[in-house]
């Protein structure tokens, strides 16, 4: 256990032990085989986004009614955020989650709408409010978290979609409300999402081509 604590696999509080950050990260990678490839192709774009903004950058996918965070980049001034690699947050309370929901199947949206769990007084608290937010996201291409996941934290996210329009993941930038103006970062986060989508599609095409060659 002492070795696992040193490796961040296990966290020790007093005499109690619980799963650590690196164990959660391994779980996030292993939950779906494609997560590792998604992280690989997304990383250069996440780094570019961080260099442009110097704010915390996140990559997430939709799992049930939650966002599963599969990558995160932050600097010395990284904001205190409930999002962590391998962690989950209710989709309707986050910018990434709403960006994912806006282009998801109506059955998924209906399940989320019926099970809203607001995290703050500013979180989405009704199905009608969620519908309005998702319609706005489809119109402008970005989603906002205005202190909806945590007081003092704001965020902007853009969906990563395949050429067919299917939702793959979403990327976000988050920062403290006193410093970060999410609307100013809209062009950068849209560009990053488009770049990741292009490379995801190229990677999928290469994989398909190799499988076809092996069969031939």
């Amino acid at each position: 256990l002492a070795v696992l604590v040193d490796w961040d696999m296990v966290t020790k509080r007093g005499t109690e032990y619980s799963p650590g950050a690196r164990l959660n990260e391994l779980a996030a990678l292993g939950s779906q085989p494609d997560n590792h490839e998604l992280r690989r192709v997304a990383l250069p774009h996440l780094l570019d986004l961080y260099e442009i903004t110097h704010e915390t950058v996140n990559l997430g996918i939709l799992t049930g009614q939650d966002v599963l965070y599969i990558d995160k980049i932050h600097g010395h001034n990284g904001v205190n955020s409930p999002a962590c690699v391998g962690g989950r947050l209710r989709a309707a309370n986050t910018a990434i989650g709403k960006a994912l929901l806006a282009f998801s199947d109506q059955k998924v949206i209906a399940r989320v709408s019926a099970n809203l769990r607001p995290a703050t007084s500013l979180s989405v608290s009704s199905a009608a409010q969620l519908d309005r937010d998702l319609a706005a996201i489809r119109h402008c291409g970005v989603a906002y978290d205005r202190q909806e996941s945590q007081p003092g934290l704001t965020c902007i996210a853009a969906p990563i979609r395949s050429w067919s329009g299917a939702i793959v993941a979403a990327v976000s930038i988050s920062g403290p409300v006193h410093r970060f103006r999410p609307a100013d970062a809209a062009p950068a986060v849209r560009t990053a999402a488009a770049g990741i989508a292009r490379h995801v599609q190229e990677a999928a095409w290469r994989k398909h081509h190799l499988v076809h060659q092996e069969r031939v």
Side-chain angles (χ1 to χ4, degrees):
L1 282 171
V3 173
L4 293 176
V5 169
D6 288 342
W7 290 351
D8 263 352
M9 294 289 187
V10 172
T11 299
K12 182 181 180 183
R13 293 183 179 87
T15 59
E16 295 183 353
Y17 295 86
S18 60
R22 291 191 65 191
L23 193 59
N24 287 332
E25 184 173 348
L26 288 174
L29 282 172
S31 61
Q32 293 187 26
D34 292 338
N35 284 354
H36 180 76
E37 181 67 10
L38 175 60
R39 289 182 68 182
R40 185 188 69 79
V41 300
L43 183 58
H45 300 278
L46 302 182
L47 291 171
D48 288 345
L49 204 51
Y50 173 76
E51 285 300 320
I52 292 169
T53 64
H54 290 287
E55 297 291 355
T56 301
V57 177
N58 300 287
L59 180 69
I61 60 174
L62 192 64
T63 302
Q65 300 177 41
D66 300 331
V67 174
L68 172 63
Y69 290 86
I70 61 174
D71 214 343
K72 180 175 182 176
I73 297 173
H74 61 88
H76 295 291
N77 295 321
V79 67
N80 179 27
S81 166
C84 62
V85 174
R88 299 186 183 206
L89 293 176
R90 300 294 286 191
N93 296 336
T94 68
I96 275 190
K98 287 188 285 187
L100 291 163
L101 287 173
F103 300 96
S104 293
D105 186 272
Q106 284 298 320
K107 291 181 180 179
V108 174
I109 297 172
R111 284 196 296 271
V112 172
S113 296
N115 295 280
L116 294 173
R117 295 180 186 173
T120 76
S121 61
L122 297 173
S123 303
V124 173
S125 57
S126 71
Q129 184 183 358
L130 181 60
D131 284 344
R132 288 194 298 271
D133 279 6
L134 299 186
I137 293 163
R138 296 183 195 107
H139 176 71
C140 68
V142 293
Y144 292 94
D145 168 358
R146 298 179 174 91
Q147 303 187 68
E148 297 166 56
S149 59
Q150 178 175 288
L153 179 69
T154 187
C155 183
I156 183 171
I160 299 166
R161 304 173 68 191
S162 69
W163 289 348
S164 67
I167 191 71
V168 175
V171 59
S172 74
I173 313 166
S174 58
V177 293
H178 69 269
R179 183 180 71 213
F180 180 50
R181 300 291 178 267
D184 294 342
V189 76
R190 283 195 192 100
T191 299
I196 295 169
R198 184 177 66 254
H199 283 95
V200 166
Q201 193 67 39
E202 289 173 354
W205 183 87
R206 285 196 299 271
K207 181 178 179 180
H208 174 77
H209 185 64
L210 287 172
V211 169
H212 178 72
Q213 285 186 323
E214 288 174 359
R215 289 175 178 172
V216 171

